[in-house]
Amino acid sequence: MQHEETQGMACECTGRTPHIIRPQTRRDLLKVCATGFGYTAFAGLSGLAAQAEAATKPATLAEATGRGPLLPRPTHHQPRAKRVIFLFMHGGPSAIDTFDPKPRLIADHGKPLPFEQPVGIIDPNGKLTKSPWEFKKYGESGADVSSLFPHQAEVVDDLCIIRSMHTEGQAHGQAVLKLHTGDATFVRPSVGAWILYGLGTENQNLPGFVTICPTPDHGGVQLYGPAFLPAVYQGTSLGQAGTPASKVQFNHLKNPRTPADLQRRQLDLLQEMNREYQHQREVESQLEGVIQSYELAFRMQMHAPKLLDLSQESKATLDLYGVDKQPTDDFARQCLLARRCLEAGVRFVQVSHSFKWDQHGNLKGGHEKNAAETDQPVAALIKDLKSRGMLEDTLVIWGGEFGRTPTAEGKDGRDHNPHGFTMWLAGGGVKPGIRYGNTDEFGYYAVENKVHMHDLHATILHLLGLDHEKLTYRYAGRDFRLTDVYGHVVHDIIA
């Protein structure tokens, strides 16, 4: 029904003609409100999308601060691992002398490489050189292990040996950064920082990310730093390279001159001033990291000394690792401390055998010394975790930044080889007792089921319940992630 608009007579008090509002039809109402209905629907859908994203994406620092930025957070999918130990063999162990035997090198020993070597090789005329060590098959899996690692040979059925790793960076600095941060050139968050950002930690009285005797070389603090992630996700160093593991401590843990109650009052005053400054200046990341680190440091005074006290371990456990024996004592203590950190709820622990595997010369003597220091403690860690029921949800990673060439450098060394090398994983949802991928018949290039460093990082995050494409942080106008725009989960190695 249509209604005509009419004009009334002038109002006696104002002299103006009143406007009579014409009644609207349902059609008129829908025409006027259509846009509003669209926005209403859009707002509803946006809310649902935000809720779904919040359920799968780690909270921002501001969102997390109210409940603690390091508290455990939901994962993107069901995790297979809860925690990680990374055994970093800094310098580059030779795959063809440890886990990747090459009979062709025995047959062609002393001959030239039948193809051109990549750019950057120090001795491009080096001849093919067979391994000085004998390989044998071990365990039910029949995996090949050289005589360098008799103890790791005992646990080979627990290992997933990836023989087809490859990366970027002919030099240590590039390759080490790639391994630890996913980028060989720019300053980026470390793997441990990404994991802590994504998952939080299970113990609010200890750091969520600990690096034991970290190297100062080839990146230094970048290897356990947060870069543009909030500072609270920085790794905490326990000792430094060159410091005997028997003497490692968290820096500035105790103040013998000030009792705990007075420290608490002083800290409360300092934190109140920090919060006020933070509110006034709208600074978030760095100052929040300082605030949280102060609180954690105060709590650690009570909990860290117990963590570092190896006298609580049984003699059988100490003997298993090789504690108080040479040459295993130092690395044995690092591995045992790593296990204790995991038991206490630390999320990510790195153990570094710092810059000892770079045998450009004296391959035999150098690799034998390194193996003697690390082989027993590494195998003991696997056995110990397994006996405690921890291996199934602990991911153990062993390896260096790259491998070594099948050709000789000088008289008795091997040069860097990022094109094909070996790392192994254990526990945490990976298939035990398998060898995955292959290098060519000389051990130079990965050729079968190739696994790039980005793929390894994507797989580590996947095992922890994190989607490497969803674990992002917005910085400088774009979303960053550990794997940048690359990486594929290696599903074939997942149990």
Side-chain angles (χ1 to χ4, degrees), residues 10 54 69 83 93 116 127 148 157 172 217 221 240 331 436:
R83 59 193 81 88
E116 187 176 350
K127 301 297 189 294
L148 273 174
D157 285 340
H172 290 286
D217 302 313
V221 295
Q240 294 290 336
F331 201 70
Y436 184 79

Side-chain angles (χ1 to χ4, degrees), residues 7-27:
Q7 300 291 333
M9 296 179 63
C11 177
E12 294 180 357
C13 60
T14 63
R16 295 177 182 176
T17 302
H19 180 77
I20 301 175
I21 300 175
R22 177 173 62 88
Q24 292 183 322
T25 65
R26 285 173 293 179
R27 182 176 299 172

Side-chain angles (χ1 to χ4, degrees), residues 133-332:
W133 298 280
E134 180 183 2
F135 280 81
K136 291 183 180 179
K137 295 185 181 297
Y138 292 89
E140 295 182 6
S141 61
D144 297 284
V145 183
S146 87
S147 56
L148 273 174
F149 293 147
H151 294 279
Q152 290 178 61
E154 296 174 0
V155 297
V156 74
D157 285 340
D158 294 307
L159 308 184
C160 170
I161 302 171
I162 304 175
R163 292 175 168 175
S164 54
M165 289 296 307
H166 64 109
T167 187
E168 284 88 38
Q170 190 72 36
H172 290 286
Q174 297 166 312
V176 170
L177 283 173
K178 193 76 173 183
L179 171 62
H180 286 80
T181 72
D183 196 293
T185 306
F186 299 104
V187 177
R188 294 289 183 262
S190 60
V191 176
W194 276 113
I195 290 173
L196 194 58
Y197 164 65
L199 297 178
T201 184
E202 295 180 326
N203 189 334
Q204 299 299 302
N205 299 315
L206 291 170
F209 172 16
V210 172
T211 178
I212 303 175
C213 296
T215 177
D217 302 313
H218 307 130
V221 295
Q222 288 186 52
L223 308 184
Y224 53 95
F228 49 71
L229 288 179
V232 71
Y233 303 114
Q234 163 89 25
T236 300
S237 63
L238 180 55
Q240 294 290 336
T243 303
S246 59
K247 299 184 183 300
V248 298
Q249 294 288 335
F250 291 110
N251 292 333
H252 314 300
L253 187 62
K254 293 183 179 180
N255 184 345
R257 298 181 300 276
T258 308
D261 59 341
L262 179 56
Q263 287 186 53
R264 182 67 260 179
R265 295 200 300 274
Q266 291 174 339
L267 182 58
D268 288 343
L269 175 61
L270 180 62
Q271 300 293 60
E272 183 179 347
M273 291 188 291
N274 281 335
R275 291 292 187 194
E276 180 64 23
Y277 183 86
Q278 184 184 34
H279 176 71
Q280 291 176 354
R281 301 298 179 91
E282 296 183 351
V283 292
E284 181 182 347
S285 173
Q286 293 183 343
L287 185 53
E288 183 62 36
V290 170
I291 292 170
Q292 294 295 331
S293 67
Y294 283 170
E295 291 292 344
L296 177 60
F298 181 80
R299 298 192 299 270
M300 282 174 62
Q301 292 182 89
M302 295 294 295
H303 297 268
K306 183 178 179 180
L307 172 72
L308 303 179
D309 184 8
L310 298 189
S311 66
Q312 301 180 44
E313 299 290 340
S314 67
K315 184 178 184 304
T317 299
L318 297 175
D319 290 343
L320 176 68
Y321 281 84
V323 174
D324 292 329
K325 297 178 181 179
Q326 294 302 329
T328 54
D329 179 68
D330 196 70
F331 201 70

